[in-house]
Amino acid sequence: MNVKIKWLRNKLNLLDMQGMIVSNPVNIYYLTGISMETEGTLLITRKENIYITDSRYIESVNRVLTIDDEIIVYNVKDVSKDDYENFFMFCENVGFEEAYVTYAKYKEYMHMYKINNLVETENLLENQRMVKDEEEIECIKKACKITDDCFEHLCNFIKKGMTEKQIAMEIEQYFKMNGAEGTSFDSIVASGPNSSMPHAVPTERKIEAGDPITIDFGCTYKGYCSDMTRTIFMEYVPEEIKPIYNLVLKNQNQTLDEMKEGANARILTMMVESDFKIHGYTLDHSLGHGLGLEIHESPTIGRKDYLLKDNMTVTDEPGIYIPGKFGVRIEDTVQITKNGCIKLTNSDKNYIILK
Amino acid sequence: MNVKIKWLRNKLNLLDMQGMIVSNPVNIYYLTGISMETEGTLLITRKENIYITDSRYIESVNRVLTIDDEIIVYNVKDVSKDDYENFFMFCENVGFEEAYVTYAKYKEYMHMYKINNLVETENLLENQRMVKDEEEIECIKKACKITDDCFEHLCNFIKKGMTEKQIAMEIEQYFKMNGAEGTSFDSIVASGPNSSMPHAVPTERKIEAGDPITIDFGCTYKGYCSDMTRTIFMEYVPEEIKPIYNLVLKNQNQTLDEMKEGANARILTMMVESDFKIHGYTLDHSLGHGLGLEIHESPTIGRKDYLLKDNMTVTDEPGIYIPGKFGVRIEDTVQITKNGCIKLTNSDKNYIILK
């Protein structure tokens, strides 16, 4: 049996669950490699692993699975009412994903499978996904490398007079043409005063001389995400932005220095907050977040206590925003290790001035 | 108060519900115009309409809402435990969206709002959204017009040797540069043998002479979707495809002739199925589906009884697929009326042969 499913079975055993219904396609991909676009349900029963899907997907699912996975694939149209009732027969407690399954689906499961106790699994799989194995780290590294390369390309591509939208489209195109599946989230390209909005959507605004341009972007490789932000400049760096840029960069680097196994997310955040405060600014969003198969995963690096663990992958992304004027954010994706962190995105963070 | 919320209040009243928690951002956009990217919750309480969001969105939400909407906007950080408990005080039954809200969220609502009965609303809003008002139809028309224009552009753009991916990217770029927000779903560009898969994903395959190219695509305008498919040809139409193309087109047109208020989705489907069967083929997917703020909405035009209504917007998309060889699908978006249907996509359906 594949190691991830074996792990899950042990874990369920410890929790006194005799089975689980896995519905979230991200978790199914994590456990089996079945594409996240596939519609289907994974059943971990007492003795078997069963994947139920429909005729549209049977062929591609069978291509992905190996004998070693020990997963039996069913076409939903061949599964009878009795089959559903038999899957979890003699199971006292069966887990489900309460944070993914809708209330309507929960009731449908209760009705179809006739389970005694359908019990919450409290993000069992999401929590396991926080710590990445070697293969997962390799995918994230690859996504980060494509992102670095894209950034280098952008530094040559972006010209005065181009619109934010044009730059965002170039990012998307670059990723698709250079080995990534696509963007890991809608790219942010925010120029001039637009850069003061942390979640700006690319507009028709044209890049002007003296503009800061905040580019927050990433791609996916085999489903795994990268995430990087740089604030760069057209023709020159306005004097008023320099102290803020330097303050953000200093804190971004100091956080990198502190990130390692056992570091507390709350303390990391407080350190940045207090340094910003001394200079008259505030940290208006989280300092960072986990990422992997999803662009935002646990843990959040924010105001709550959380101790980082070896082989988590997280972002470090402080920012300062002056409403109506400008903003600066600098972000890297990193891998936490026992002794520190390894930067997975490596683009230059000194002033980048486009000509 | 805005008419859609007024409608909802009347409806809740009839159902003996004294309030509702609206969580699905598509339904919130439908009711209020608040962007679907905004994170927040709409509360319909006995006396007030309340929208709770966070500091990231307050400004943009206030820009969208007018006094006429009669919606009070709260910053989530200013809402106390008592406030939550007071919102639905004296309400016996409060509705929620059981097909959108997760089981975990359902429990959180129960706990936070201290509601006596949190009751299922059985797709109340989704069902209302099936029938479009004038303003909505105008948006869908506009999305369809941009799609037609894009198709005309593609017929000049596509050249032998181009890859499916390149064509898919051109579609995306065209939409973003020509007034649409973007694609309404991942475009399908399936050439040669790939066209035999109804849900093909664009590949690096290069277009060759004699290829059928099935392009299934659409955009959104003010959130409203279009959806169109054409199967076109590079340099010539292979003889073996012609009878199948003609059969699909005949059935697509006959369905258009039959689509009007009162037409039964099951009968429409059976008519196509039986004509396909006479010729030795099968209809492997639904004949069509509703669309609006989402690309797939109710009703499904399939094997279940469903009577179409005036001002529904649906697709008509029969297809025939010969595994490993080729496929043909032709699809339009239409508006149902009392006396027939109005085609909203109007691109040519005769053989289109690219040079």
Side-chain angles (χ1 to χ4, degrees):
Chain A
M1 203 174 297
N2 93 41
V3 284
K4 290 197 176 99
I5 295 184
K6 214 179 266 175
W7 167 86
L8 177 60
R9 285 188 163 275
N10 285 333
K11 200 79 192 178
L12 291 172
N13 210 9
L14 289 171
L15 295 165
D16 189 31
M17 296 185 203
Q18 292 77 45
M20 180 170 175
I21 303 174
V22 188
S23 321
N24 183 342
V26 181
N27 289 338
I28 293 175
Y29 177 74
Y30 175 75
L31 290 169
T32 67
I34 294 170
S35 143
M36 294 184 249
E37 275 75 48
T38 311
E39 291 174 28
T41 310
L42 178 67
L43 307 182
I44 308 294
T45 71
R46 255 183 197 286
K47 294 195 177 153
E48 291 170 332
N49 307 312
I50 293 165
Y51 185 70
I52 304 175
T53 184
D54 66 59
S55 54
R56 288 175 295 169
Y57 304 109
I58 295 272
E59 195 187 327
S60 67
V61 167
N62 281 324
R63 254 204 306 265
V64 167
L65 297 178
T66 65
I67 288 180
D68 194 49
D69 285 317
E70 293 184 35
I71 297 171
I72 306 164
V73 180
Y74 278 68
N75 187 329
V76 66
K77 75 170 174 43
D78 302 328
V79 184
S80 70
K81 197 169 159 294
D82 282 351
D83 289 335
Y84 281 112
E85 293 179 14
N86 286 333
F87 285 140
F88 296 109
M89 203 182 260
F90 309 119
C91 291
E92 186 57 27
N93 301 310
V94 175
F96 80 110
E97 296 157 299
E98 73 280 6
Y100 178 80
V101 171
T102 63
Y103 182 80
K105 204 76 188 165
Y106 165 81
K107 281 185 63 175
E108 188 188 317
Y109 286 168
M110 290 286 280
H111 183 255
M112 262 171 42
Y113 294 102
K114 300 261 191 292
I115 294 164
N116 285 337
N117 296 308
L118 195 52
V119 297
E120 299 170 36
T121 47
E122 296 179 352
N123 294 316
L124 178 61
L125 284 161
E126 286 76 2
N127 289 338
Q128 175 69 2
R129 276 170 39 203
M130 280 198 276
V131 172
K132 272 73 181 175
D133 67 21
E134 229 171 280
E135 207 178 321
E136 295 182 282
I137 299 267
E138 281 311 308
C139 293
I140 297 170
K141 263 189 194 162
K142 177 80 184 174
C144 287
K145 175 71 172 71
I146 297 171
T147 306
D148 278 332
D149 292 346
C150 179
F151 182 71
E152 195 182 328
H153 168 73
L154 290 177
C155 289
N156 295 312
F157 172 80
I158 300 172
K159 301 277 174 265
K160 203 163 62 177
M162 259 179 201
T163 68
E164 295 170 353
K165 270 195 187 179
Q166 279 177 297
I167 299 167
M169 278 190 295
E170 183 68 14
I171 293 172
E172 187 147 357
Q173 191 144 346
Y174 184 94
F175 284 150
K176 288 191 180 164
M177 301 302 272
N178 288 276
E181 286 106 43
T183 56
S184 49
F185 58 95
D186 288 344
S187 308
I188 294 172
V189 178
S191 65
N194 291 347
S195 63
S196 78
M197 295 178 289
H199 295 87
V201 171
T203 70
E204 297 291 353
R205 185 182 183 281
K206 288 180 176 152
I207 309 296
E208 297 170 11
D211 271 354
I213 313 166
T214 294
I215 309 179
D216 186 347
F217 68 121
C219 64
T220 64
Y221 179 77
K222 293 190 180 173
Y224 286 86
C225 300
S226 63
D227 195 355
M228 181 170 84
T229 310
R230 292 290 183 270
T231 300
I232 60 178
F233 300 89
M234 180 52 72
E235 291 191 0
Y236 65 91
V237 186
E239 284 305 317
E240 58 170 352
I241 303 186
K242 284 183 181 172
I244 288 176
Y245 188 95
N246 297 340
L247 181 63
V248 171
L249 180 56
K250 185 187 93 180
N251 278 277
Q252 206 263 352
N253 280 325
Q254 279 176 354
T255 302
L256 289 179
D257 291 341
E258 298 295 329
M259 279 179 149
K260 62 178 172 196
E261 181 163 62
N264 187 332
R266 185 177 58 80
I267 309 278
L268 294 172
T269 303
M270 275 176 55
M271 282 170 55
V272 175
E273 278 185 331
S274 66
D275 195 36
F276 279 9
K277 201 172 171 190
I278 289 167
H279 294 85
Y281 304 109
T282 54
L283 178 67
D284 291 333
H285 53 69
S286 305
L287 180 57
H289 56 84
L291 79 175
L293 289 173
E294 292 177 288
I295 186 66
H296 290 114
E297 295 188 353
S298 297
T300 299
I301 303 190
R303 294 186 182 87
K304 281 192 191 150
D305 282 304
Y306 193 89
L307 303 187
L308 297 179
K309 290 188 193 125
D310 193 28
N311 286 327
M312 284 185 163
T313 44
V314 300
T315 68
D316 165 21
E317 51 175 311
I320 291 175
Y321 311 91
I322 313 297
K325 296 186 109 180
F326 62 84
V328 173
R329 180 167 65 254
I330 301 172
E331 172 187 32
D332 285 309
T333 295
V334 308
Q335 172 190 358
I336 304 298
T337 72
K338 289 204 162 59
N339 308 308
C341 76
I342 301 168
K343 277 179 65 203
L344 303 183
T345 48
N346 286 294
S347 295
D348 192 3
K349 294 190 282 197
N350 296 306
Y351 296 140
I352 293 180
I353 301 164
L354 307 179
K355 292 295 158 195
Chain B
M1 203 174 297
N2 93 41
V3 283
K4 291 199 176 94
I5 295 184
K6 214 179 264 173
W7 167 87
L8 176 60
R9 284 187 164 277
N10 285 333
K11 199 80 192 177
L12 291 173
N13 210 10
L14 290 171
L15 295 165
D16 189 31
M17 296 185 202
Q18 292 77 46
M20 179 169 174
I21 302 174
V22 188
S23 320
N24 183 342
V26 181
N27 288 338
I28 293 175
Y29 177 74
Y30 175 74
L31 291 168
T32 67
I34 293 170
S35 143
M36 294 184 248
E37 275 75 48
T38 311
E39 291 174 27
T41 310
L42 179 67
L43 307 181
I44 308 295
T45 71
R46 255 183 197 288
K47 293 193 176 153
E48 291 170 330
N49 308 312
I50 293 166
Y51 185 71
I52 303 176
T53 184
D54 66 58
S55 53
R56 289 175 293 170
Y57 304 110
I58 295 273
E59 195 186 326
S60 68
V61 167
N62 281 322
R63 255 202 306 265
V64 166
L65 298 178
T66 65
I67 288 181
D68 194 48
D69 285 315
E70 294 183 34
I71 297 171
I72 306 164
V73 180
Y74 279 67
N75 188 326
V76 66
K77 78 171 172 45
D78 302 329
V79 185
S80 71
K81 196 169 160 295
D82 283 352
D83 289 335
Y84 282 112
E85 294 178 13
N86 286 332
F87 286 139
F88 295 110
M89 202 183 260
F90 308 119
C91 292
E92 187 55 28
N93 301 312
V94 175
F96 80 110
E97 295 157 299
E98 74 280 5
Y100 178 81
V101 172
T102 63
Y103 182 80
K105 205 78 188 164
Y106 165 80
K107 283 188 61 175
E108 188 187 317
Y109 286 168
M110 290 286 279
H111 183 255
M112 262 171 41
Y113 294 102
K114 300 262 190 295
I115 294 164
N116 285 338
N117 296 307
L118 194 53
V119 297
E120 298 170 38
T121 48
E122 295 179 352
N123 294 316
L124 177 62
L125 284 161
E126 285 78 4
N127 289 338
Q128 174 69 0
R129 277 171 37 203
M130 280 198 277
V131 172
K132 272 71 180 176
D133 67 21
E134 229 170 280
E135 208 178 320
E136 295 181 281
I137 299 267
E138 281 311 310
C139 292
I140 296 171
K141 263 189 194 163
K142 177 78 186 175
C144 287
K145 175 72 171 74
I146 297 171
T147 306
D148 278 331
D149 292 346
C150 179
F151 181 70
E152 194 183 329
H153 168 73
L154 289 177
C155 290
N156 295 311
F157 172 81
I158 299 172
K159 301 278 174 263
K160 204 163 62 178
M162 259 180 202
T163 69
E164 294 169 353
K165 270 196 186 178
Q166 277 176 299
I167 299 167
M169 278 191 293
E170 183 68 14
I171 292 172
E172 187 146 358
Q173 190 142 346
Y174 183 93
F175 284 150
K176 289 193 177 161
M177 301 303 272
N178 288 279
E181 285 107 43
T183 56
S184 48
F185 59 95
D186 288 344
S187 308
I188 294 172
V189 179
S191 63
N194 291 347
S195 63
S196 78
M197 295 178 288
H199 295 87
V201 171
T203 70
E204 296 293 354
R205 184 183 184 281
K206 289 181 175 149
I207 308 297
E208 298 170 12
D211 272 353
I213 313 166
T214 295
I215 309 178
D216 186 348
F217 69 120
C219 65
T220 64
Y221 179 78
K222 293 189 179 174
Y224 286 86
C225 300
S226 63
D227 194 355
M228 181 168 87
T229 309
R230 292 291 183 269
T231 299
I232 60 178
F233 300 89
M234 178 53 70
E235 291 191 1
Y236 64 91
V237 186
E239 283 306 319
E240 57 171 351
I241 304 186
K242 283 182 181 171
I244 289 178
Y245 189 95
N246 297 342
L247 181 62
V248 171
L249 179 56
K250 185 187 95 180
N251 277 276
Q252 206 264 353
N253 280 326
Q254 279 176 353
T255 303
L256 288 179
D257 290 342
E258 298 296 329
M259 280 180 148
K260 62 177 172 197
E261 180 162 63
N264 188 332
R266 186 177 58 82
I267 309 277
L268 294 173
T269 302
M270 275 176 54
M271 282 170 56
V272 175
E273 278 185 332
S274 68
D275 195 36
F276 279 9
K277 201 172 171 190
I278 289 168
H279 293 85
Y281 304 108
T282 54
L283 177 66
D284 291 332
H285 54 69
S286 305
L287 180 57
H289 56 85
L291 79 173
L293 289 173
E294 292 176 287
I295 185 66
H296 291 114
E297 295 188 353
S298 296
T300 299
I301 303 190
R303 295 186 181 87
K304 281 193 192 148
D305 281 305
Y306 193 89
L307 303 187
L308 297 179
K309 291 189 193 121
D310 193 27
N311 286 326
M312 283 186 164
T313 45
V314 301
T315 67
D316 165 21
E317 49 176 313
I320 291 176
Y321 311 91
I322 313 298
K325 295 187 110 178
F326 62 85
V328 173
R329 180 166 65 254
I330 301 172
E331 173 186 31
D332 285 308
T333 295
V334 309
Q335 172 190 359
I336 304 298
T337 72
K338 289 203 162 57
N339 307 310
C341 76
I342 301 169
K343 277 180 64 203
L344 303 183
T345 48
N346 286 293
S347 295
D348 192 3
K349 295 190 282 196
N350 296 307
Y351 295 141
I352 293 180
I353 300 164
L354 307 181
K355 294 292 159 197

